[in-house]
Amino acid sequence: PMAVANMNKNLSRVSSLLRWGVKNGYIQTNFAEGLQIKRTTRSDEDRSPYSADQLRKVFNHPLFTKRDYKYPFQYWIPLLGLYTGARLNELCQLHLNDIRKVDDIWVISINADTPDKKLKTRSAARCVPLHSKLVSLGFLDYIESQHVNGNTRVFPELKLSRDGYGRKVSKWYANFRKTLILTIDDTKEPDFHSFRHNVSMSLRRKHSLDDIGEVLGHASNKVTARYTKRLTVPQLHAIIESIDYPISI
């Protein structure tokens, strides 16, 4: 079934349309005004991280072991999700100049500095250092090849739609994980954004929730946050490098 957050988003859109109708005299009442579905779970219960066995099922697939893919995004975006915790659209909308060096460290700059990009919240703008695993797998070589080919975006095969660049990847990954049969009981199957939970769980053993939130682009709820400087890129790099999984890629 559709997630509660998505149902409420659709109800809000309907309400906006009917509000316009009332304002312009087409109807008398906005019957969707204030209509929302109450959540029955905490937001952190919406998704579960991948288990070690599930991660092995995903990354032991020939797509990753033999690089048997049709489009580069099929290989790189799941790996980027696993080692950055970035949201799907944050990765899909990247430009080549978003992969840059800061303080002599390669980072992914997640921003909305061009009209085709958008962020979920203002806190989502951040720099995420590249994990050494991504470098060893050849991500920087891939970026250089895109420069040589005259592209300006990291994944030029992805096209902009109403909700950003992620639609094609979202549909592909949903079909891909279904072929893996990741669950055999009634537990909820992990999806792409479950990688964010894996990053959070991996970091939680060694770092504070505020540090993890800065990596993931979460807003801090603490009043003291407004008086606290953001972490430096070297500090973030040390945090990212502590991401570790019991699998071989």
Side-chain angles (χ1 to χ4, degrees):
M2 187 182 292
V4 171
N6 285 335
M7 287 190 277
N8 285 333
K9 185 188 300 182
N10 288 336
L11 287 170
S12 294
R13 288 170 174 164
V14 171
S15 182
S16 295
L17 174 63
L18 297 183
R19 191 180 306 116
W20 179 89
V22 171
K23 182 178 180 180
N24 290 276
Y26 291 100
I27 56 177
Q28 293 182 339
T29 305
N30 177 0
F31 292 102
E33 187 70 41
L35 187 60
Q36 294 279 285
I37 296 172
K38 187 176 180 180
R39 297 180 63 95
T40 58
T41 60
R42 302 197 316 265
S43 58
D44 61 353
E45 295 175 333
D46 287 347
R47 296 183 178 93
S48 297
Y50 287 82
S51 68
D53 286 341
Q54 289 170 331
L55 286 176
R56 291 187 191 99
K57 276 191 174 183
V58 173
F59 294 102
N60 283 343
H61 189 278
L63 188 157
F64 298 99
T65 59
K66 298 181 180 180
R67 304 204 178 196
D68 182 17
Y69 53 80
K70 182 176 181 180
Y71 299 107
F73 75 78
Q74 295 170 331
Y75 178 81
W76 285 115
I77 288 185
L79 286 167
L80 287 166
L82 185 65
Y83 284 101
T84 68
R87 298 174 179 92
L88 180 63
N89 195 61
E90 291 174 343
L91 298 172
C92 295
Q93 69 185 8
L94 289 172
H95 288 211
L96 291 177
N97 59 14
D98 293 327
I99 315 301
R100 60 182 76 144
K101 270 190 172 182
V102 177
D103 294 335
D104 209 33
I105 295 171
W106 283 103
V107 304
I108 297 175
S109 175
I110 296 174
N111 59 67
D113 63 359
T114 57
D116 62 318
K117 299 180 193 173
K118 57 184 177 181
L119 300 176
K120 186 174 182 179
T121 64
R122 292 200 318 188
S123 301
R126 63 201 189 277
C127 282
V128 182
L130 275 181
H131 193 285
S132 57
K133 173 61 73 171
L134 295 171
V135 176
S136 67
L137 289 171
F139 183 65
L140 292 176
D141 295 330
Y142 167 73
I143 294 299
E144 179 60 27
S145 72
Q146 294 301 91
H147 279 292
V148 171
N149 291 334
N151 293 316
T152 59
R153 292 182 42 248
V154 175
F155 303 108
E157 64 272 22
L158 303 180
K159 306 304 179 185
L160 182 62
S161 64
R162 183 194 68 186
D163 296 321
Y165 286 100
R167 177 178 294 180
K168 182 175 182 177
V169 185
S170 181
K171 289 183 177 179
W172 164 77
Y173 190 75
N175 291 328
F176 170 69
R177 63 186 172 84
K178 284 179 182 178
T179 66
L180 301 177
I181 313 178
L182 296 177
T183 56
I184 57 175
D185 51 27
D186 293 332
T187 58
K188 192 169 184 178
E189 185 176 66
D191 59 15
F192 183 86
H193 282 92
S194 296
F195 290 133
R196 282 172 63 79
H197 291 261
N198 281 96
V199 170
S200 178
M201 293 298 293
S202 180
L203 295 178
R204 195 170 295 178
R205 297 188 297 269
K206 304 174 184 177
H207 304 282
S208 71
L209 292 179
D210 281 348
D211 289 351
I212 296 170
E214 193 155 340
V215 169
L216 297 178
H218 288 159
S220 175
N221 293 321
K222 292 186 177 182
V223 176
T224 54
R226 73 179 63 183
Y227 305 108
T228 305
K229 290 184 178 180
R230 302 193 70 171
L231 296 176
T232 65
V233 167
Q235 288 173 323
L236 288 170
H237 186 239
I239 294 172
I240 285 291
E241 281 299 307
S242 68
I243 296 174
D244 187 42
Y245 301 108
I247 58 172
S248 176
I249 298 178

